[in-house]
Amino acid sequence: VASDQTLDVVRAYHGAWTCKNFEEAAHFLSPALIVEVPNNDYPSKDTFAAALRGFGGMVRNVNVLAAMCSDDEAMLLYDLDAEQLGWLRVVEHFTVAEGLITRLRQIHDTAPVRASGLASSGA
Amino acid sequence: VASDQTLDVVRAYHGAWTCKNFEEAAHFLSPALIVEVPNNDYPSKDTFAAALRGFGGMVRNVNVLAAMCSDDEAMLLYDLDAEQLGWLRVVEHFTVAEGLITRLRQIHDTAPVRASGLASSGA
């Protein structure tokens, strides 16, 4: 049951930002959010939410390939298609506490992101 | 129950290759294995098993950060430390049928792998 709730939160967050409802998405991020992504540093929820808005606004399509969870953790695997970038395969690993995402790890290939000139946009 | 069996197969495969038991690891790969990794192309189980042996032999440490499953799929998130390369964060997504891995997707940053000169070793 706890696992299902974890995945519900993660799916709601993912569904919100991929539909460009960035304010709604930010509501699922804990004020104590810890972000682990390649290349960039987001010391706060607000800096990450701003980057999500910037990059998310360029995303044209998202195909979720896998979604699974274990207790307070969940993982999503998806392909996204963004302006300037094209298709990129992404994994996110989430930790959830009390309905909020407290840690978000992103794993993807940075080579195409750098090549597109988007590396500073938070991708 | 099916999910638990999926994760058992994946953990056994992962445990085998990270302990450099490459023959044992290959026993968990289906003859019909489909591999999706950045940059490289493995048209058969045997070509992938050979690459695993080559790269796996250079791995000094592996820290599994997350392992989860859903029906016939499982995902692992881990950091590995390899000769020439250093630490790299990796995600693998597996599909399992009848006790064998039929599809293996790997997601990681190729930039440090290219920089190390290991890109042709299958990482």
Side-chain angles (χ1 to χ4, degrees):
Chain A
V1 180
S3 277
D4 288 349
Q5 291 169 351
T6 301
L7 201 50
D8 286 347
V9 169
V10 165
R11 283 186 185 279
Y13 163 77
H14 185 81
W17 83 255
T18 57
C19 292
K20 307 201 192 302
N21 296 325
F22 300 112
E23 290 226 8
E24 184 188 341
H27 287 149
F28 294 103
L29 302 174
S30 164
L33 178 69
I34 294 170
V35 178
E36 296 179 19
V37 297
N39 297 333
N40 282 290
D41 194 25
Y42 299 108
S44 69
K45 166 186 167 173
D46 289 345
T47 52
F48 181 74
L52 182 66
R53 182 185 305 268
F55 180 71
M58 307 174 70
V59 172
R60 293 178 292 218
N61 271 297
V62 175
N63 292 338
V64 175
L65 303 176
M68 55 192 76
C69 57
S70 176
D71 299 327
D72 62 344
E73 299 173 60
M75 293 177 81
L76 295 181
L77 167 64
Y78 55 93
D79 289 333
L80 66 77
D81 174 34
E83 291 168 32
Q84 295 180 48
L85 178 62
W87 287 98
L88 180 71
R89 180 156 289 182
V90 178
V91 171
E92 290 183 294
H93 172 267
F94 302 88
T95 306
V96 172
E98 296 174 6
L100 297 177
I101 296 163
T102 55
R103 188 174 56 201
L104 193 162
R105 291 163 162 155
Q106 243 179 54
I107 300 91
H108 62 77
D109 188 359
T110 67
V113 182
R114 291 173 205 224
S116 74
L118 288 176
S120 61
S121 301
Chain B
V1 181
S3 278
D4 289 348
Q5 291 169 351
T6 300
L7 201 50
D8 286 347
V9 169
V10 166
R11 283 186 185 280
Y13 163 76
H14 185 81
W17 82 255
T18 57
C19 292
K20 307 199 192 302
N21 297 324
F22 300 112
E23 289 226 8
E24 184 188 340
H27 287 149
F28 293 103
L29 302 174
S30 165
L33 178 70
I34 293 170
V35 178
E36 297 178 19
V37 297
N39 297 331
N40 282 291
D41 194 24
Y42 299 107
S44 69
K45 166 186 166 173
D46 290 344
T47 52
F48 181 74
L52 182 67
R53 181 185 304 269
F55 180 72
M58 308 175 69
V59 172
R60 293 178 293 219
N61 271 296
V62 175
N63 291 337
V64 175
L65 302 177
M68 56 192 76
C69 57
S70 175
D71 299 327
D72 62 343
E73 299 174 58
M75 293 177 80
L76 295 181
L77 166 64
Y78 56 92
D79 290 332
L80 66 77
D81 175 34
E83 290 167 33
Q84 296 181 47
L85 178 62
W87 286 98
L88 180 72
R89 181 157 288 182
V90 177
V91 171
E92 290 184 295
H93 172 266
F94 303 88
T95 305
V96 173
E98 296 174 7
L100 297 177
I101 296 163
T102 56
R103 187 175 56 201
L104 192 162
R105 291 163 163 155
Q106 244 181 52
I107 300 91
H108 62 78
D109 189 359
T110 66
V113 182
R114 292 172 204 224
S116 74
L118 289 176
S120 62
S121 300

